[in-house]
Amino acid sequence: MNENLFASFITPTMMGFPIVVAIIMFPSILFPSSKRLINNRLHSFQHWLIKLIIKQMMLIHTPKGRTWTLMIVSLIMFIGSTNLLGLLPHTFTPTTQLSMNLSMAIPLWAGAVITGFRHKLKSSLAHFLPQGTPISLIPMLIIIETISLFIQPMALAVRLTANITAGHLLMHLIGGATLVLMNISPPTATITFIILLLLTVLEFAVALIQAYVFTLLVSLYLHDNT
C-alpha cells in the first residue's frame, strides 16, 4: 500500500528514454491488413466493425465530410484499442494523459472549423449571432459563442482523460483494499473482489464508450462545418 497512487500514470521510460511513442504505435499491430483471398474470423470481424463504424458515423455527412472517413475510423479504433490495452496489468494508458488527448482533439477540431470557414463562411459566422438577437445582447452573445467554440477541444480532451483516469484509480484503490482485507477479513475481501470484477467489466464498457463518444463529437463538429 506504500505504492504511489498515481505511479501507473507516469510516462514509462527505458534507459532514460520515454517509450510512449512505441506504446502509442503498438495498437496498429492489432489491426493487420489481410493478403488472403478468404479472410479468417479476425479479419472478417475487423471488416464488419469498420463497416459498422462508417455506417454509424458517416451517414449524416455530405460528400465533403465523408472525405474524413479514414480519419474517423482510425481515430475510434486507436482510442478504443489503447483504452482496452490500458486495462491489462502493468501497462500504461496514453489516454490518461491530458497532453495526449489535447494533441488529438485540437488538430481535429481546428481542421473541422477551418473547413467550415473555407466552404461555409456565412453559415459558420451565423453561429456566433443567431437571427433575431436584440442589439443590446450582440456583443455579449458573440463573446459567449466564441468562448464556447474554443472550449470544445478542451471539453473533448478533459472528458476522455477524466473518465479513463477515474476508472483506473478506482480499480487501483479497490484492488489494494482487497489485498489488505485478505489477511484481516476473508469474507469482506471476497465481496470487494467481486466488486472489483464487476468494476473491471464496467471499465471495459467505458473504454469503448469513451472512444465512441470522442469520435462521435468530432464527427458532429465536422458535420456542423461541412
Side-chain angles (χ1 to χ4, degrees), residues 21-199:
V21 176
I23 296 174
I24 292 174
M25 294 177 62
F26 180 75
S28 62
I29 304 175
L30 304 177
F31 304 103
S33 58
S34 176
K35 297 181 181 179
R36 299 179 181 179
L37 182 62
I38 300 177
N39 294 328
N40 56 26
R41 293 180 180 178
L42 178 61
H43 287 104
S44 298
F45 175 75
Q46 178 181 331
H47 291 163
W48 172 82
L49 184 63
I50 292 174
K51 289 181 181 178
L52 180 63
I53 294 171
I54 294 174
K55 182 178 179 181
Q56 291 289 331
M57 296 286 183
M58 310 309 296
L59 188 63
I60 61 174
H61 286 280
T62 62
K64 177 66 68 175
R66 289 174 185 172
T67 58
W68 285 51
T69 300
L70 181 59
M71 177 68 73
I72 296 295
V73 173
S74 301
L75 180 66
I76 190 173
M77 296 184 74
F78 169 74
I79 297 177
S81 58
T82 302
N83 290 347
L84 291 176
L85 288 173
L87 294 174
L88 298 176
H90 305 289
T91 55
F92 173 74
T93 312
T95 47
T96 58
Q97 306 295 313
L98 183 61
S99 58
M100 165 75 182
N101 297 333
L102 281 173
S103 67
M104 292 190 296
I106 292 177
L108 292 169
W109 166 84
V113 171
I114 292 172
T115 301
F117 278 108
R118 284 187 61 189
H119 301 283
K120 296 173 59 178
L121 181 59
K122 292 183 179 180
S123 178
S124 299
L125 293 176
H127 289 137
F128 292 93
L129 191 63
Q131 187 176 5
T133 304
I135 297 177
S136 59
L137 295 179
I138 288 178
M140 182 180 299
L141 196 59
I142 291 177
I143 294 173
I144 292 173
E145 290 296 329
T146 303
I147 293 173
S148 66
L149 177 65
F150 283 97
I151 277 179
Q152 288 177 353
M154 180 64 71
L156 274 177
V158 170
R159 182 186 294 107
L160 180 58
T161 304
N163 281 280
I164 302 301
T165 302
H168 286 202
L169 287 175
L170 195 56
M171 291 175 63
H172 182 86
L173 290 172
I174 295 178
T178 303
L179 290 175
V180 173
L181 290 171
M182 286 178 63
N183 297 324
I184 301 175
S185 176
T188 308
T190 303
I191 295 174
T192 56
F193 181 71
I194 294 174
I195 295 175
L196 180 61
L197 290 179
L198 295 176
L199 180 62

